[in-house]
Each structure stands twice: as C-alpha cells, then as structure tokens.
C-alpha cells in the first residue's frame, strides 16, 4: 500500500510539468525541515496535515504545540495513527532525518543547530511562552532557504515573529486559512502581518509544500544568467519600476535572484522568461515581489548587545553635549513596521532618565521606508503579544498599552516618531540629524550604491553625530568620515570633514544604469548640488521670515529662522510655549490671532504689530494658520512673523506739528496700557490656576498609573488563563480521542463476552453488581437496573449459599476458588471465582464465571458405569492415553501380578511381560498406536508367584465425537482357557 501511495504523486507531477521522471525531487545531501506550529484546536489539523503528507516526501517535520507543562500528553501516539512516517518525541542532541516526524516535549523550548535538536527549559513554567517563535527562529538560522514554517489552528500570535525570521532567510511560509481553522488567532496574526506565502485549508498545504520544494530545486537560478534569462530579468526590473516607481537594479544581485527564485517556486515556474510573462499580466504578483524584495524583517531591540552599547555610550554623550538644544533629531532609514524607530525612542527616554537632566530634552525620530503598507502598520503602533520575547516586562509596562488585540505603543513614544514613505536612493536625504540608523539595509545594496550611501550619511549628521549599522555592515573605506565607537556593535561617530574633501553625491542613479557604470561628469554636478543646498540654507536662515510650528496649545514643535528677536524663555521652569515666551507687544496680538485661527480655520493676518526690543520697537506682520496639509502636520498651527521696514525719521529742521487730538490719543494709549496690564494680571492668575490644575492632574495621573498597574496585573492573569485554556483545549482533544478508543475497546469487550456465551458476573470490592453477560441472567435473576446492588440482595436459582463468603475469601487471599453447584431445575455449573485485576495490578473487585457441568456429569456417570463393567469381568484390563502411556489398571490385573499400581503406570506395566516377549510386545504396541486400529497379540504375563502364563490381548481404540483418538483399552484373557 505504501508503494501505491508514493507512485500517485509522481505521476501527477509528470502530468503537470513534463520533466524527466528520473530527475531527483530533492538534493540527496540536504533536505527541507518543516516546522509546524499549532495550539488550541491544532491536534485535529495536525492529523489531517500528516495524513496528506506522502510517506517519502524527502522532508523532516517538527511539530511545536502549546502543551500543559504538568500533563503527560499522548501527542506522539495520536499522530502516529495519522501517518506511516516514524513519529518520535524529540530528545536532546537528536539528529533530524528525512521522512520523520518529531514532536516537542512538554515544558521545554526546542531549537535546531547543525541539524540536531536541542532542548532548553522554559524560563517560566506558566505564563505566555512562545515555543513556536523560538523554534522557527533557530530553524531559519540553521537551515536558511531550506527552512519552511507552517502555522495551523491556535489562539494568540505565537509563530508570527518566527515566520519573519524564516522569510528573511528566503524560506517558505505556509498558513492555514482563517475560515478552516478551529481557532483563527495564530493564522490571522500571520496573515495580517503579510508573512504568508500560501494561505490554504490544511488538507491542501502538504501538496503545496511538496510542489514548492520540488520547483525550488528545479529552478536553481545561477548567479550568471544566460542572455535570454538576463533579458527577462531586465524586464522584471522594468515592470517593478513601472508599477511601484522603485528601481531595484542597484540591489545586490544574489539577493534579487534568490527572492525571485522563491516566487517562481511558489508558482511552479521554471524559467525567468515565464515569470516575467506572469508579472506582465498579474499586478498582484508584482506587488508581492516588491514586498519580497524589500525584506521587511525587523524586531524590537534587535541585536541586544548593540542597543546596550548605544544606551551606555552613545546616547548619554549626545544628550550631555546637546542638552541646551532642546530636541535631538534621528533618522531611521528602512524602518519597516516601526520596531526599530520605537526602540530608538524608548532607548533615548531610558538614557535621558538615567542622566537626570534638569532641562527637558526630547528626541524627534523620522522613520522612513519604501513599503507604504509597512509605514501604515508602523503608524498604528500595534504589535502582537509575541513581542514579549524581545521587549522586557519593564518596557512593556512603561511604553506599551495592552488590550485584546495585543500591545500598542504608548502616546509618549508614538508622538516622538514621524513615519513617511521615502526612497533612500532616489529621494533627498534628511539633514541636521544627530543619529542615523540604517541597520541591515546596506548589505542588500550593490557595492557602487554602498559607496554613495556612507558619505550621504556623513552629510546628514551633525558634528559628533552617531551612525548605527547592522551587525554585518561597515563603513568600508570611509574611515576618514566615521570613527568606530564599538566595532563589534557597528556604532560609529561622525568625523568632521571639510566640504571639499567629502566625496558626496546626492543625485539619484540614472534609471538605465543597472550595474553602476561610471559617469565621467560626476564631479561638476556634485559642486552645484552643494552650493545650491548651502544657498537655500542661508536664505532660509538670514533672509526668510520666522516660522514657528506649534500644536493647538501653543507648545513649540519646530522653529525655522531666528526667533530670539520675538521670543525669549520665561523666568522659572522651562516652558516652550509661544504665549509664555512672546515679547512685550507681541503677546496680545498673538493670543487673539491664534484663537481666531483655531476658531475660523483660515489664515489670520495682523499687520503693523509693534514689539519692544532693546529699548526700541520693531514693526512686524503676524500670520497664524491652522494646517490641514500635509497629513503628518494636520492639526498643528504655523506662526509666521515678517519684519516691516521702519519708516525714516523726520528731519529735525521741520517743526513737529502736533494733532489737536494728541491729548485724547495719549489718554487712550494710557487706558490701553492699563487694560493690557489687567489682561496680564488675569493671565497670570489663570496661569496660577493652570498650575494648580496641573498639580491635580499629576495626582490623577498617579492614580491612573496605579490603576494601570492593576490593569497590567489583570492582563498578566488573563494571558496565563489564555495559555492555560490552550493547554486545556489540547488535553481535551487528547481525552476525546482516548474516550473514543476506550468506547471502541468497551464495545469489543462486550461483543467478545457475549460471543463466548459464558455466564460472567463482575462485582466490585463490596460485592455490588458492576456488569454481567446475558447468560448470567438465566442463573441469577439479574436485569440491567440491578447494577450497583449487592449480589446478596438478588434472587438466584443457584444452590450455592456460600457464594458471597467465598467471594470475600478470594478478595482476602487473592487465590481463586472453584465450586460445582446445581440449580433448582437440575442444571450443573462449575463456578470459578477470581480477583479482578486492573492494568496497574490493583485488585478492584471479583469476576465470577459459570460454565455448564451437565456434560461432564454425564461423562463421569458413563465412565463410572464403564469401570464397574470392566471390574466385574474376569479379563485383565489396561487403560492408555492417546500417546500410549498407561493411566488405568483393573483390580484383576493388580491381583494377578501382585505388584503395586504406582510401579506399573505409564510404561511400568511392560515389566510384567516375559523378557523374551517384551521387545515383540513393545514394537507391536508402538505400531498399533501409530495406526490407531484394533489389533490382537498373544504374550506371556508374570503372575504374583513368579510363573508366566500366556494371554490373548486385544488393543481397542476409543474415538471422540470428532473421530480423533481419545483413549486405548487392552483386555487380556487366559489363552489356555480359550483352547
């Protein structure tokens, strides 16, 4: 049967893709390892999955399920029934073999290293453990592109981060469809994260995995393509640029080919030309390939050693050197779904709190990426529960808010990060940054592009700024631009270089230069670009109007230009609010214009505002506008201040002509000044009230933190309950399978007992009826409702008054008893009483069997009659078994020979035969036993006085009802009396 099952998939493959059948499906030296993650409701899905896997697929399967750490499961036994492959529980140092299934033991994490399984104990036996993520990550690191992750039914989000690691190594990810999963938490989390290569019902996944592995081996794109394949690859780049607007010709060639090869294997396509043709007609596949090439793999605090060095050495130095700036600026290039940017913001807050800087300093993070979908997910700031593997409990409590959908970034961190789509190759860079983080992106770019990016990062950073690269990345030959803070952690500090010596190229690469050909005109545009940037900066700082971006409360977010002429910090606690910092004369106009702009949502312009400064006045025009575009600045307010030239003073030669209304005008000015002072007093009183409200608010915040702490404790309890619920689901499914098996065994036992037609009675240790077979009811008056009643209370036709006493004796001595008893209607039974033993050798009652003794009684009577007949005869009679051994001597024989019976049984009787006749008698007797026929023989037998007489002996066979030999009788008569 196994050979038939393996032939069918081969025939199907030959029919679908006409390739030579002799070609091997998988490499003999290596084979894919499939990690299968399942949780609640996953046992049924696992059985269906393994039942559909061919017996000789050439792959190894490792099953990771959430198990109760205190419950001994039966997962191995249950899964073995679903597959012909060997199923075993994983042990430490076990070598993984193809066509085998390995099951994770309870209360451990499972890892894979160099093809061997390793067991690691859980950090905590209870709570939210993530064994699927743990194994998937080790699987990706060990097996690279041969790793395959499968997510089946389960609650929670375990496995999502593990699939990210598998995708990063170009492995395959397969997810059970949400509609077919009994519990859709895990499949939905993986699907929503965009990590699934294939989403299908569980019964279809094995065939898709086999096809994927088959075509992954068949495709095998070489690093150097033939002309036809190279032309098709160029078409792929053109299609990608046309639909996404991004040019991937500058990406590393091996990475591009490996990702395209994966997509070809998923679609079972063998040539690059065919795949280019598929892209032309399928925009969805273009988008899937685009996301594949972006390699959006990240996690919170990835590479912990680098983050520790950043918090210990880099961030404190930056904060200490720029404490008077107010805001540090950071750029995270290739942020993916935002974990890197949020990690940087959290690390900054922790480093700042340790320094205890009196003046508040903040960090503004600009996070960019090509993938707009990833940017949208990053803006939501929502992540699955499985991030607990990367984020410490202290950070979770401080920077996250937990709810039913997972963890959400807190407002404090979210407001410090701005996300935007950005192409680091094509778009202008961010400038005046204190930190630039570009981790695990440079390694995927070509060498030519890497040579442009490192100087670009130098240009973006302020003096003394920090550059963060991935663990496999370096600044290369640009050691004159960056000094290593810690070479192992890939942290670098900017070295100041003059503009003329810095090799900077801000131009995007030409679209047609796929492999970075040199441009002889590079030098001239470089200088032009630098001069233009510098000129724009000087114009903005020295000749442009002052612009202040603030929120709807007046708190400053960003300042462009020199603001010291119009704003100065207030005395006391630092307060970056435009109303508090506005100079005399500007505050009143700014307050009215600001309120009008928020109320009317239109630009409000106030002209001719006079502001006192340095003993003089400055006239200016004030514009305040509520911003609605761009989307990132929606809801903020822009304040623009433009100086108005002061008119020339009048000549002293001309006498000043005073207006007749000058006195009245002076009085009005005095009243206005007094009113302004009243407003100032009112504002100060309001500010005092505001401070009191702030104090009250802080108390409420303290109360809120206590409530939040209580809520987190409840959330932890909820997570533990969820984990326990998953374990109970698994145990429940195992128990259901066991109950089904026990029910089947009970039915088998019932039919077996009924088919024997033997009356059997089961009693417990207090002699109460537990179970009985139907024939028992014809001996003891039992009906089904008698179960549980003492046997002594039930009427019986059996004349056996000591039955209960004998049963108790058997319970006491554990030795069985047999007794013959009859019923009132004359039936005889052999009653056998035995102790009832469980599988654990525990006595749990009594088993009583009743076998009919009527036939035996009849046979005994007939045997007794036959003996009486033989003993009344004068002949000497011997009785033999079927094998020829003597078992009966008649009294006449014993009297004639005068020898004791014990010495003549078995073969001792032949000693009474004359020595000269013994050999003849012995040979004749053996021949008679072999033939089974009646025979006659005359020989001499010794009498009691030692003389011998001749006897004629007849050997008579006795047959049973079936015709088989059952007995022999030999009758000897004195030959002399016969004449």
């Amino acid at each position: 049967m196994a050979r038939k099952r393996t032939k069918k998939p081969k025939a199907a493959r030959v029919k679908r893709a006409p390739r030579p059948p002799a070609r091997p499906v998988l490499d003999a030296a290596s084979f894919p390892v499939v990690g299968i993650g399942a949780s609640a409701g996953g046992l049924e899905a696992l059985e269906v999955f393994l039942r559909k896997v061919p017996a000789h697929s050439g792959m190894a399967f490792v099953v990771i399920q959430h198990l109760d750490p205190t419950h001994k499961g039966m997962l191995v036994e249950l899964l073995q029934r679903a597959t012909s492959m060997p199923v075993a529980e994983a042990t430490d140092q076990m070598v993984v073999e193809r066509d085998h299934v390995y099951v994770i033991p309870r209360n451990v994490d499972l890892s894979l290293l160099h093809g061997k399984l390793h067991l690691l104990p859980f950090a905590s036996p209870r709570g939210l453990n993530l064994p699927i993520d743990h194994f998937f990550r080790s699987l990706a690191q060990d097996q690279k592109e041969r790793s395959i992750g499968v997510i089946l039914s389960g609650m929670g989000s375990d496995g999502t981060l593990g699939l990210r690691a598998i995708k990063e190594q170009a492995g395959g990810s397969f997810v059970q469809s949400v509609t077919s999963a009994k519990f859709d938490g895990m499949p939905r989390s993986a699907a929503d994260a965009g990590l699934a290569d294939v989403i299908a019902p569980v019964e279809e996944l094995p065939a898709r995995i086999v096809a994927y592995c088959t075509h992954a081996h068949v495709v095998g794109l070489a690093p150097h393509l033939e002309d036809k394949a190279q032309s098709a690859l160029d078409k792929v780049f053109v299609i990608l640029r046309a639909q996404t607007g991004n040019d991937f010709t500058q990406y590393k060639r091996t990475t591009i080919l490996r990702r395209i090869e994966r997509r070809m294997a998923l679609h079972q396509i063998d040539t690059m030309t065919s795949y280019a043709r598929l892209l032309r007609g399928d925009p969805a596949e273009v988008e899937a390939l685009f996301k594949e090439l972006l390699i959006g793999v990240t996690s919170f605090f990835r590479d912990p050693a680098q983050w520790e060095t950043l918090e210990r050495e880099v961030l404190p130095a930056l904060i200490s050197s720029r404490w008077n700036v107010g805001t540090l600026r950071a750029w995270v290039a290739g942020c993916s779904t935002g974990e890197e940017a949020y990690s940087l913001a959290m690390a900054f807050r922790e480093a700042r709190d340790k320094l205890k800087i009196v003046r508040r300093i903040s960090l503004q993070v600009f996070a960019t990426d090509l993938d707009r979908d990833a940017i949208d997910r990053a803006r939501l700031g929502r992540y699955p529960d499985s991030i607990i593997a990367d984020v410490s409990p202290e950070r979770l409590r401080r920077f996250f808010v937990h709810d039913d959908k997972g963890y959400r970034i807190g407002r404090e961190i979210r407001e410090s990060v701005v996300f935007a789509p950005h192409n680091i190759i094509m778009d202008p860079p961010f400038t005046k940054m204190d930190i630039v983080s570009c981790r695990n992106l440079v390694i995927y770019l070509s060498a030519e592009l890497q040579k442009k990016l490192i100087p670009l990062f130098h240009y973006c950073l302020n003096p003394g700024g920090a550059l963060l690269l991935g663990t496999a990345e370096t600044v290369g030959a640009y050691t004159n631009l960056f000094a290593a803070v810690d070479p192992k952690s890939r942290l670098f500090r900017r070295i100041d270089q003059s503009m003329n010596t810095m090799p900077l190229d801000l131009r995007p690469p030409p679209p047609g230069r796929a492999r970075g050909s040199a441009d002889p005109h590079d030098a001239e545009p470089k200088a032009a670009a630098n001069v233009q940037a510098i000129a724009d900066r000087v114009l903005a700082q020295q000749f442009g109007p002052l612009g202040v971006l603030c929120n709807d409360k007046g708190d400053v977010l960003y300042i462009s230009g020199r603001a010291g002429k119009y704003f100065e910090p207030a005395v006391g606690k630092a307060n970056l609010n435009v109303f508090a910092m506005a100079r005399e004369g500007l505050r009143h106009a700014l307050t009215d214009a600001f309120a009008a702009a928020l109320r009317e949502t239109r630009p409000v312009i106030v002209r001719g505002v006079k502001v006192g400064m340095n003993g003089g006045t400055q006239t200016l025009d004030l514009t305040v506008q509520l911003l609605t575009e761009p989307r990132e600045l929606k809801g903020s307010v822009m304040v623009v201040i433009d100086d108005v030239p002061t008119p020339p003073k009048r000549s002293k030669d001309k006498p000043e002509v005073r207006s007749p209304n000058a006195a009245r005008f002076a009085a009005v000015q005095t009243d206005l000044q007094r009113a302004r002072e009243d407003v100032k007093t009112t504002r100060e009183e309001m500010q005092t009230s505001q401070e009191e409200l702030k104090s009250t608010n802080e108390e409420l915040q303290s109360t809120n933190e206590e409530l939040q702490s209580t809520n987190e404790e409840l959330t932890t309890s909820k997570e533990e309950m969820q984990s326990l619920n998953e374990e109970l689901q698994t145990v429940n499914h195992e128990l259901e399978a066991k109950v089904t098996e026990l029910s089947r065994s009970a039915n088998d036992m019932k039919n077996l007992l009924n088919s024997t037609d033997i009356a059997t009675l089961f009693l417990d240790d207090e002699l109460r009826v537990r179970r009985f077979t139907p024939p028992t009811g014809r001996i003891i008056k039992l009906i089904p409702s008698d179960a549980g009643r003492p046997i002594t209370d039930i009427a019986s036709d059996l004349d056996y008054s000591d039955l209960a006493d004998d049963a108790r004796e058997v319970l006491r001595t554990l030795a069985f008893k047999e007794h013959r008893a009859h019923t009132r209607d004359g039936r005889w039974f052999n009653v056998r009483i035995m102790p009832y033993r469980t599988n654990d050798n525990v006595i749990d009652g009594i088993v009583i069997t009743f076998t009919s003794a009527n036939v035996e009684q009849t046979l005994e009577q007939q045997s007794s009659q036959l003996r009486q007949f033989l003993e009344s005869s004068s002949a000497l009679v011997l009785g033999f078994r079927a094998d020829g051994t003597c078992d009966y001597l008649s009294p006449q024989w014993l009297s004639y020979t005068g020898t004791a019976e014990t010495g003549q049984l078995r073969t001792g009787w032949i000693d009474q035969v004359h020595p000269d006749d013994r050999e003849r008698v012995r040979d004749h007797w053996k021949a008679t036993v072999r033939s089974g026929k009646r025979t006659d023989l005359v020989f001499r037998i010794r009498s009691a006085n030692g003389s011998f007489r001749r006897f004629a002996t007849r050997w008579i066979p006795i047959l049973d009802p079936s015709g088989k030999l059952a007995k022999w009788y030999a009758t000897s008569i004195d030959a002399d009396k016969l004449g």
Side-chain angles (χ1 to χ4, degrees), residues 62-64 90-91 102-105 108-112 117-120 131 134-136 138:
V62 182
V63 176
I64 309 297
T91 59
Y102 304 92
V103 178
I104 184 174
V108 296
D109 273 330
L110 189 63
S111 296
L112 186 66
L117 296 173
H118 299 267
L119 305 183
L120 301 171
H134 183 89
F135 178 76
F136 279 9
S138 69

PDB file of all heavy atoms in Angstrom, residues 62-64 90-91 102-105 108-112 117-120 131 134-136 138:
ATOM      1  N   VAL A  62       8.854  18.863  12.180  1.00  0.00           N
ATOM      2  CA  VAL A  62       8.985  19.085  13.621  1.00  0.00           C
ATOM      3  C   VAL A  62       7.714  19.784  14.095  1.00  0.00           C
ATOM      4  O   VAL A  62       7.396  20.886  13.630  1.00  0.00           O
ATOM      5  CB  VAL A  62      10.225  19.932  13.958  1.00  0.00           C
ATOM      6  CG1 VAL A  62      10.358  20.088  15.470  1.00  0.00           C
ATOM      7  CG2 VAL A  62      11.488  19.303  13.373  1.00  0.00           C
ATOM      8  N   VAL A  63       6.991  19.135  14.991  1.00  0.00           N
ATOM      9  CA  VAL A  63       5.696  19.641  15.466  1.00  0.00           C
ATOM     10  C   VAL A  63       5.918  20.392  16.775  1.00  0.00           C
ATOM     11  O   VAL A  63       6.450  19.827  17.741  1.00  0.00           O
ATOM     12  CB  VAL A  63       4.699  18.488  15.662  1.00  0.00           C
ATOM     13  CG1 VAL A  63       3.387  19.015  16.241  1.00  0.00           C
ATOM     14  CG2 VAL A  63       4.450  17.777  14.337  1.00  0.00           C
ATOM     15  N   ILE A  64       5.517  21.664  16.800  1.00  0.00           N
ATOM     16  CA  ILE A  64       5.622  22.503  18.000  1.00  0.00           C
ATOM     17  C   ILE A  64       4.201  22.875  18.418  1.00  0.00           C
ATOM     18  O   ILE A  64       3.493  23.567  17.687  1.00  0.00           O
ATOM     19  CB  ILE A  64       6.442  23.777  17.725  1.00  0.00           C
ATOM     20  CG1 ILE A  64       7.778  23.425  17.056  1.00  0.00           C
ATOM     21  CG2 ILE A  64       6.668  24.531  19.019  1.00  0.00           C
ATOM     22  CD1 ILE A  64       8.695  22.592  17.900  1.00  0.00           C
ATOM     23  N   ALA A  90      10.974  14.462  20.582  1.00  0.00           N
ATOM     24  CA  ALA A  90      12.336  14.973  20.430  1.00  0.00           C
ATOM     25  C   ALA A  90      13.113  14.811  21.735  1.00  0.00           C
ATOM     26  O   ALA A  90      12.581  15.012  22.821  1.00  0.00           O
ATOM     27  CB  ALA A  90      12.301  16.434  20.009  1.00  0.00           C
ATOM     28  N   THR A  91      14.388  14.444  21.576  1.00  0.00           N
ATOM     29  CA  THR A  91      15.301  14.363  22.711  1.00  0.00           C
ATOM     30  C   THR A  91      16.517  15.230  22.427  1.00  0.00           C
ATOM     31  O   THR A  91      16.755  15.625  21.281  1.00  0.00           O
ATOM     32  CB  THR A  91      15.747  12.911  22.963  1.00  0.00           C
ATOM     33  OG1 THR A  91      16.387  12.411  21.772  1.00  0.00           O
ATOM     34  CG2 THR A  91      14.565  12.022  23.305  1.00  0.00           C
ATOM     35  N   TYR A 102       8.991  14.727  14.347  1.00  0.00           N
ATOM     36  CA  TYR A 102       9.485  14.930  15.705  1.00  0.00           C
ATOM     37  C   TYR A 102       8.503  15.839  16.450  1.00  0.00           C
ATOM     38  O   TYR A 102       8.043  16.842  15.895  1.00  0.00           O
ATOM     39  CB  TYR A 102      10.878  15.547  15.691  1.00  0.00           C
ATOM     40  CG  TYR A 102      11.875  14.726  14.899  1.00  0.00           C
ATOM     41  CD1 TYR A 102      12.088  14.988  13.545  1.00  0.00           C
ATOM     42  CD2 TYR A 102      12.576  13.689  15.489  1.00  0.00           C
ATOM     43  CE1 TYR A 102      12.981  14.224  12.807  1.00  0.00           C
ATOM     44  CE2 TYR A 102      13.478  12.923  14.768  1.00  0.00           C
ATOM     45  CZ  TYR A 102      13.674  13.195  13.421  1.00  0.00           C
ATOM     46  OH  TYR A 102      14.552  12.445  12.692  1.00  0.00           O
ATOM     47  N   VAL A 103       8.210  15.502  17.687  1.00  0.00           N
ATOM     48  CA  VAL A 103       7.222  16.226  18.496  1.00  0.00           C
ATOM     49  C   VAL A 103       7.937  16.855  19.687  1.00  0.00           C
ATOM     50  O   VAL A 103       8.747  16.198  20.361  1.00  0.00           O
ATOM     51  CB  VAL A 103       6.105  15.286  18.976  1.00  0.00           C
ATOM     52  CG1 VAL A 103       5.114  16.037  19.868  1.00  0.00           C
ATOM     53  CG2 VAL A 103       5.380  14.672  17.786  1.00  0.00           C
ATOM     54  N   ILE A 104       7.660  18.115  19.958  1.00  0.00           N
ATOM     55  CA  ILE A 104       8.284  18.812  21.088  1.00  0.00           C
ATOM     56  C   ILE A 104       7.803  18.205  22.400  1.00  0.00           C
ATOM     57  O   ILE A 104       6.613  17.918  22.571  1.00  0.00           O
ATOM     58  CB  ILE A 104       7.959  20.329  21.031  1.00  0.00           C
ATOM     59  CG1 ILE A 104       8.684  21.073  22.151  1.00  0.00           C
ATOM     60  CG2 ILE A 104       6.458  20.562  21.104  1.00  0.00           C
ATOM     61  CD1 ILE A 104       8.522  22.585  22.058  1.00  0.00           C
ATOM     62  N   PRO A 105       8.696  17.970  23.352  1.00  0.00           N
ATOM     63  CA  PRO A 105       8.251  17.510  24.674  1.00  0.00           C
ATOM     64  C   PRO A 105       7.604  18.664  25.442  1.00  0.00           C
ATOM     65  O   PRO A 105       7.699  19.832  25.062  1.00  0.00           O
ATOM     66  CB  PRO A 105       9.558  17.056  25.356  1.00  0.00           C
ATOM     67  CG  PRO A 105      10.580  16.980  24.267  1.00  0.00           C
ATOM     68  CD  PRO A 105      10.159  17.974  23.222  1.00  0.00           C
ATOM     69  N   VAL A 108       9.461  22.541  27.623  1.00  0.00           N
ATOM     70  CA  VAL A 108      10.775  22.896  27.094  1.00  0.00           C
ATOM     71  C   VAL A 108      10.596  23.758  25.847  1.00  0.00           C
ATOM     72  O   VAL A 108       9.537  23.775  25.222  1.00  0.00           O
ATOM     73  CB  VAL A 108      11.625  21.657  26.728  1.00  0.00           C
ATOM     74  CG1 VAL A 108      11.949  20.823  27.937  1.00  0.00           C
ATOM     75  CG2 VAL A 108      10.935  20.816  25.660  1.00  0.00           C
ATOM     76  N   ASP A 109      11.661  24.486  25.502  1.00  0.00           N
ATOM     77  CA  ASP A 109      11.796  25.107  24.189  1.00  0.00           C
ATOM     78  C   ASP A 109      12.661  24.206  23.336  1.00  0.00           C
ATOM     79  O   ASP A 109      13.594  23.560  23.833  1.00  0.00           O
ATOM     80  CB  ASP A 109      12.442  26.493  24.314  1.00  0.00           C
ATOM     81  CG  ASP A 109      11.417  27.580  24.580  1.00  0.00           C
ATOM     82  OD1 ASP A 109      10.273  27.426  24.124  1.00  0.00           O
ATOM     83  OD2 ASP A 109      11.756  28.562  25.256  1.00  0.00           O
ATOM     84  N   LEU A 110      12.380  24.171  22.040  1.00  0.00           N
ATOM     85  CA  LEU A 110      13.105  23.304  21.119  1.00  0.00           C
ATOM     86  C   LEU A 110      13.865  24.168  20.121  1.00  0.00           C
ATOM     87  O   LEU A 110      13.302  25.117  19.559  1.00  0.00           O
ATOM     88  CB  LEU A 110      12.127  22.380  20.388  1.00  0.00           C
ATOM     89  CG  LEU A 110      12.729  21.259  19.540  1.00  0.00           C
ATOM     90  CD1 LEU A 110      13.520  20.299  20.420  1.00  0.00           C
ATOM     91  CD2 LEU A 110      11.637  20.502  18.802  1.00  0.00           C
ATOM     92  N   SER A 111      15.155  23.852  19.900  1.00  0.00           N
ATOM     93  CA  SER A 111      15.983  24.586  18.955  1.00  0.00           C
ATOM     94  C   SER A 111      16.645  23.608  18.002  1.00  0.00           C
ATOM     95  O   SER A 111      16.756  22.404  18.286  1.00  0.00           O
ATOM     96  CB  SER A 111      17.061  25.414  19.681  1.00  0.00           C
ATOM     97  OG  SER A 111      16.476  26.418  20.481  1.00  0.00           O
ATOM     98  N   LEU A 112      17.100  24.144  16.859  1.00  0.00           N
ATOM     99  CA  LEU A 112      17.783  23.340  15.846  1.00  0.00           C
ATOM    100  C   LEU A 112      19.142  23.969  15.569  1.00  0.00           C
ATOM    101  O   LEU A 112      19.235  25.157  15.264  1.00  0.00           O
ATOM    102  CB  LEU A 112      16.948  23.281  14.559  1.00  0.00           C
ATOM    103  CG  LEU A 112      17.468  22.363  13.452  1.00  0.00           C
ATOM    104  CD1 LEU A 112      17.416  20.905  13.900  1.00  0.00           C
ATOM    105  CD2 LEU A 112      16.642  22.544  12.184  1.00  0.00           C
ATOM    106  N   LEU A 117      18.499  18.519  17.202  1.00  0.00           N
ATOM    107  CA  LEU A 117      17.515  19.153  18.071  1.00  0.00           C
ATOM    108  C   LEU A 117      18.116  19.323  19.471  1.00  0.00           C
ATOM    109  O   LEU A 117      18.808  18.437  19.978  1.00  0.00           O
ATOM    110  CB  LEU A 117      16.253  18.301  18.149  1.00  0.00           C
ATOM    111  CG  LEU A 117      15.490  18.124  16.839  1.00  0.00           C
ATOM    112  CD1 LEU A 117      14.358  17.119  17.013  1.00  0.00           C
ATOM    113  CD2 LEU A 117      14.936  19.456  16.334  1.00  0.00           C
ATOM    114  N   HIS A 118      17.827  20.475  20.067  1.00  0.00           N
ATOM    115  CA  HIS A 118      18.323  20.778  21.408  1.00  0.00           C
ATOM    116  C   HIS A 118      17.155  21.224  22.278  1.00  0.00           C
ATOM    117  O   HIS A 118      16.327  22.035  21.845  1.00  0.00           O
ATOM    118  CB  HIS A 118      19.402  21.858  21.354  1.00  0.00           C
ATOM    119  CG  HIS A 118      20.615  21.469  20.558  1.00  0.00           C
ATOM    120  ND1 HIS A 118      21.726  20.896  21.118  1.00  0.00           N
ATOM    121  CD2 HIS A 118      20.861  21.552  19.223  1.00  0.00           C
ATOM    122  CE1 HIS A 118      22.616  20.659  20.179  1.00  0.00           C
ATOM    123  NE2 HIS A 118      22.123  21.044  19.019  1.00  0.00           N
ATOM    124  N   LEU A 119      17.103  20.721  23.498  1.00  0.00           N
ATOM    125  CA  LEU A 119      16.027  21.044  24.428  1.00  0.00           C
ATOM    126  C   LEU A 119      16.511  22.072  25.440  1.00  0.00           C
ATOM    127  O   LEU A 119      17.585  21.929  26.024  1.00  0.00           O
ATOM    128  CB  LEU A 119      15.553  19.784  25.156  1.00  0.00           C
ATOM    129  CG  LEU A 119      15.118  18.603  24.277  1.00  0.00           C
ATOM    130  CD1 LEU A 119      14.608  17.468  25.149  1.00  0.00           C
ATOM    131  CD2 LEU A 119      14.058  19.022  23.276  1.00  0.00           C
ATOM    132  N   LEU A 120      15.696  23.112  25.634  1.00  0.00           N
ATOM    133  CA  LEU A 120      16.009  24.146  26.609  1.00  0.00           C
ATOM    134  C   LEU A 120      14.793  24.326  27.512  1.00  0.00           C
ATOM    135  O   LEU A 120      13.664  24.403  27.029  1.00  0.00           O
ATOM    136  CB  LEU A 120      16.337  25.481  25.913  1.00  0.00           C
ATOM    137  CG  LEU A 120      17.521  25.458  24.936  1.00  0.00           C
ATOM    138  CD1 LEU A 120      17.589  26.768  24.182  1.00  0.00           C
ATOM    139  CD2 LEU A 120      18.815  25.218  25.685  1.00  0.00           C
ATOM    140  N   PRO A 131       6.977  28.939  22.268  1.00  0.00           N
ATOM    141  CA  PRO A 131       7.869  27.894  21.725  1.00  0.00           C
ATOM    142  C   PRO A 131       7.909  27.878  20.206  1.00  0.00           C
ATOM    143  O   PRO A 131       8.914  27.471  19.626  1.00  0.00           O
ATOM    144  CB  PRO A 131       7.261  26.606  22.295  1.00  0.00           C
ATOM    145  CG  PRO A 131       5.823  26.932  22.543  1.00  0.00           C
ATOM    146  CD  PRO A 131       5.799  28.386  22.950  1.00  0.00           C
ATOM    147  N   HIS A 134      10.305  30.586  19.031  1.00  0.00           N
ATOM    148  CA  HIS A 134      11.665  30.187  19.401  1.00  0.00           C
ATOM    149  C   HIS A 134      12.215  29.169  18.399  1.00  0.00           C
ATOM    150  O   HIS A 134      13.350  29.305  17.915  1.00  0.00           O
ATOM    151  CB  HIS A 134      11.655  29.598  20.806  1.00  0.00           C
ATOM    152  CG  HIS A 134      13.009  29.216  21.312  1.00  0.00           C
ATOM    153  ND1 HIS A 134      13.825  30.088  21.990  1.00  0.00           N
ATOM    154  CD2 HIS A 134      13.713  28.058  21.204  1.00  0.00           C
ATOM    155  CE1 HIS A 134      14.962  29.480  22.294  1.00  0.00           C
ATOM    156  NE2 HIS A 134      14.912  28.246  21.823  1.00  0.00           N
ATOM    157  N   PHE A 135      11.431  28.153  18.062  1.00  0.00           N
ATOM    158  CA  PHE A 135      11.937  27.129  17.147  1.00  0.00           C
ATOM    159  C   PHE A 135      12.064  27.675  15.721  1.00  0.00           C
ATOM    160  O   PHE A 135      13.034  27.376  15.025  1.00  0.00           O
ATOM    161  CB  PHE A 135      11.019  25.910  17.155  1.00  0.00           C
ATOM    162  CG  PHE A 135      11.472  24.849  16.192  1.00  0.00           C
ATOM    163  CD1 PHE A 135      12.562  24.042  16.494  1.00  0.00           C
ATOM    164  CD2 PHE A 135      10.847  24.675  14.967  1.00  0.00           C
ATOM    165  CE1 PHE A 135      13.001  23.074  15.605  1.00  0.00           C
ATOM    166  CE2 PHE A 135      11.284  23.716  14.078  1.00  0.00           C
ATOM    167  CZ  PHE A 135      12.364  22.909  14.395  1.00  0.00           C
ATOM    168  N   PHE A 136      11.081  28.461  15.272  1.00  0.00           N
ATOM    169  CA  PHE A 136      11.141  28.994  13.910  1.00  0.00           C
ATOM    170  C   PHE A 136      12.404  29.843  13.708  1.00  0.00           C
ATOM    171  O   PHE A 136      13.014  29.810  12.636  1.00  0.00           O
ATOM    172  CB  PHE A 136       9.896  29.813  13.617  1.00  0.00           C
ATOM    173  CG  PHE A 136       8.696  28.969  13.234  1.00  0.00           C
ATOM    174  CD1 PHE A 136       8.744  27.594  13.350  1.00  0.00           C
ATOM    175  CD2 PHE A 136       7.524  29.548  12.765  1.00  0.00           C
ATOM    176  CE1 PHE A 136       7.646  26.816  13.006  1.00  0.00           C
ATOM    177  CE2 PHE A 136       6.430  28.776  12.415  1.00  0.00           C
ATOM    178  CZ  PHE A 136       6.484  27.407  12.548  1.00  0.00           C
ATOM    179  N   SER A 138      15.336  29.563  15.296  1.00  0.00           N
ATOM    180  CA  SER A 138      16.504  28.686  15.190  1.00  0.00           C
ATOM    181  C   SER A 138      16.475  27.901  13.888  1.00  0.00           C
ATOM    182  O   SER A 138      17.523  27.635  13.291  1.00  0.00           O
ATOM    183  CB  SER A 138      16.536  27.727  16.390  1.00  0.00           C
ATOM    184  OG  SER A 138      15.472  26.788  16.334  1.00  0.00           O
TER     185      SER A 138
END
